[in-house]
Amino acid sequence: MLIQSVDPSARTGIMPRCLVPLLAATVVIHRVSAFSTSSHSFVSRAPGTWPCGRQATRYISGQPTTLSSSFYGDFENFEDDEDDEDDDEECAEIDEEAMASFRSRMGGMFGETEDASEVEDDEEDEDEDDEETEEGTQTSFSSVDELISFATSASKKEPLTDWAIPLEAAPDTTDFSQILKGGVVLLANPEKFCSNFPSAGDGMASASNRFAQPSGALLAKFGLTVPPPADLGPDRRADLLPVLVLLERQPLRGSRAVLMNRRTGYLLGDLGQESPEEQDTNVPPPPPKFGAFMIQPLWFGGTSAGGGNGSNDDTAKGLDMIHKCPAVEGAQALTEDGLYWGGDPVQAQDAMSDTSLDTVYTGFDFKFFVQSTRWLPMQLEKEIRDGTWHVASVSKEVLFKSRDRLGTRRAKPLWTEIMELMGGKYSDIRDQLYND
């Protein structure tokens, strides 16, 4: 570090003695800042310039004094060299001693003292902070999706909404009242619906008895004429495996449910519409009864009669409606997390916009079913004992999740996602269907 000399004869006065330490402090601070900045950034700068490129100049009694340094010239060669490292260490030691001396002088001038151990502790804390900062900045993102995922995970985590819990009855039990309640989900066991799915208890069975044969009556009950063949692919086979939501279970009348994964190919807006031949061209058509639900799919609930949802409209009497809106009149709560069954679809259009609700509901929070699936008293219980169905409690978010194809991506089949969420042996059954 060089300080250009100042001609004493050019001074306009004598420098006060108290400014001598300040001049020394200026020189030391420049040396320390130059070392700290260059050792971190390794940016070559012209001698005597600050990081912003300005000339380092100090004015002493009206005369400019230029601080110049050849320190940055040492970094013209970026290759690792042991001699350069030794020089850096020596410079660091000298600067630390100079800073300690400067602190002690300044403390004496202003009546402040600082313990050397505290200084060392502060320096150690700063080093730790620098290390933590460097570690925190090592994260890199190769795509926008990764950045969004990182930002989402770093923010406050939302409560878990996608879940499924298996419900199992004790072996040889005759009381299913604890698990067969409204809102539970029934998932088909592929062993009972697929002809080439190995039975869990096959063991060393002969090849002719190795695969169980599905019941024709069981398949027909869910609109299947033949077992789902393997050449359809695992996703399509999983789509054909019935998944039902239980609506009610009566000891004398039996049980009733609706299929969650069968579409009819129609929309709710297709109901109650007159054909073009029947329309009077001179009279404007009446407004649609289900305007808020016109684009909602009409689902196939089963092969038995449906309805009984509390609607006074003739068109809606044969429909079953499950939804998430608690303001619908006549609706019955099925689960504790907010799954409802029934109510008047016409009144539901007004209930969606109820200002007293905490959530804004749309037509996508409703599902409409034509017909349903029924069992005689104790028939469903017998099928569960035989292993035809897996019983689970499933969140409404999973049941209402859109599973339409999104470009090249497609959501998992409902049966597949629930089996994966339950985990354990249910994931093994899923893997067996997918040959994973």
Side-chain angles (χ1 to χ4, degrees):
M1 186 68 64
L2 301 178
I3 304 178
Q4 290 183 357
S5 62
V6 179
D7 186 1
S9 63
R11 299 180 181 175
T12 58
I14 300 175
M15 179 184 299
R17 185 179 301 274
C18 63
L19 293 181
V20 174
L22 296 179
L23 174 60
T26 304
V27 176
V28 172
I29 291 175
H30 173 60
R31 293 190 61 198
V32 174
S33 61
F35 174 76
S36 302
T37 306
S38 62
S39 62
H40 283 78
S41 62
F42 293 97
V43 178
S44 179
R45 300 184 180 90
T49 59
W50 293 97
C52 59
R54 295 176 296 179
Q55 189 75 15
T57 306
R58 291 290 182 269
Y59 288 87
I60 301 177
S61 302
Q63 293 295 328
T65 299
T66 304
L67 305 179
S68 60
S69 173
S70 60
F71 179 77
Y72 295 107
D74 297 337
F75 294 96
E76 292 177 358
N77 185 3
F78 291 96
E79 297 181 358
D80 294 334
D81 186 62
E82 296 180 358
D83 295 338
D84 293 341
E85 293 178 358
D86 295 338
D87 293 340
D88 294 343
E89 293 176 359
E90 292 176 2
C91 292
E93 293 176 359
I94 294 173
D95 288 332
E96 289 176 0
E97 293 175 0
M99 282 300 296
S101 175
F102 170 67
R103 285 196 180 99
S104 126
R105 292 181 183 179
M106 294 299 292
M109 290 177 60
F110 296 99
E112 298 178 357
T113 59
E114 186 173 6
D115 189 10
S117 61
E118 294 180 359
V119 175
E120 293 178 358
D121 293 340
D122 294 340
E123 292 176 353
E124 292 177 0
D125 293 340
E126 291 177 359
D127 293 340
E128 292 177 0
D129 294 339
D130 292 341
E131 292 177 0
E132 292 178 359
T133 303
E134 291 176 1
E135 292 177 357
T137 57
Q138 290 178 355
T139 304
S140 60
F141 306 98
S142 59
S143 66
V144 176
D145 292 338
E146 290 184 7
L147 178 60
I148 294 174
S149 300
F150 175 80
T152 304
S153 62
S155 62
K156 184 178 179 181
K157 293 185 178 179
E158 298 292 335
L160 181 65
T161 57
D162 292 356
W163 51 266
I165 303 172
L167 303 175
E168 298 181 353
D172 302 328
T173 185
T174 57
D175 183 14
F176 289 87
S177 59
Q178 296 300 317
I179 64 171
L180 287 183
K181 299 179 179 180
V184 301
V185 175
L186 306 173
L187 298 106
N189 183 354
E191 177 186 330
K192 300 293 184 179
F193 285 83
C194 301
S195 58
N196 60 345
F197 197 86
S199 174
D202 284 339
M204 299 300 293
S206 62
S208 59
N209 297 327
R210 185 175 180 182
F211 299 105
Q213 296 300 318
S215 166
L218 179 64
L219 296 175
K221 188 171 186 175
F222 299 99
L224 298 174
T225 55
V226 294
D231 56 5
L232 288 178
D235 274 347
R236 182 55 182 151
R237 293 181 83 192
D239 272 330
L240 293 175
L241 292 175
V243 178
L244 304 102
V245 170
L246 186 65
L247 300 179
E248 58 181 348
R249 175 177 177 262
Q250 301 291 339
L252 299 179
R253 293 191 299 174
S255 303
R256 188 159 78 94
V258 289
L259 272 167
M260 296 294 295
N261 55 347
R262 293 281 193 281
R263 282 194 177 186
T264 62
Y266 293 93
L267 302 178
L268 197 65
D270 297 328
L271 296 179
Q273 302 296 323
E274 296 181 354
S275 62
E277 294 79 9
E278 297 175 350
Q279 291 181 358
D280 188 350
T281 56
N282 297 323
V283 179
K289 296 179 181 179
F290 311 117
F293 306 124
M294 289 188 65
I295 63 172
Q296 297 307 310
L298 187 60
W299 299 83
F300 176 70
T303 56
S304 301
N309 58 6
S311 174
N312 296 322
D313 187 85
D314 293 338
T315 305
K317 282 185 178 179
L319 299 177
D320 280 293
M321 177 178 69
I322 63 172
H323 53 91
K324 298 188 287 186
C325 182
V328 177
E329 296 178 358
Q332 176 182 340
L334 291 178
T335 63
E336 294 180 356
D337 73 331
L339 182 65
Y340 298 89
W341 166 49
D344 187 353
V346 177
Q347 185 271 335
Q349 298 175 89
D350 297 328
M352 288 191 301
S353 57
D354 191 337
T355 57
S356 64
L357 299 176
D358 296 333
T359 305
V360 177
Y361 294 95
T362 68
F364 296 97
D365 297 312
F366 293 76
K367 284 183 178 290
F368 298 89
F369 302 84
V370 57
Q371 302 189 155
S372 63
T373 301
R374 295 179 181 267
W375 290 270
L376 296 174
M378 301 306 297
Q379 182 182 5
L380 177 59
E381 292 81 351
K382 181 179 182 300
E383 291 181 1
I384 293 175
R385 282 196 301 267
D386 294 341
T388 304
W389 304 104
H390 303 300
V391 186
S393 177
V394 182
S395 69
K396 64 179 183 294
E397 283 76 16
V398 173
L399 296 176
F400 276 84
K401 184 180 298 185
S402 175
R403 303 189 184 275
D404 294 331
R405 182 178 293 277
L406 303 175
T408 58
R409 297 177 55 190
R410 182 180 180 182
K412 296 177 181 178
L414 180 59
W415 182 92
T416 303
E417 182 171 1
I418 296 176
M419 296 293 281
E420 290 178 353
L421 289 172
M422 289 195 293
K425 66 178 183 180
Y426 302 99
S427 291
D428 295 339
I429 296 173
R430 176 265 178 210
D431 294 343
Q432 202 168 5
L433 181 70
Y434 279 73
N435 294 322
D436 290 346

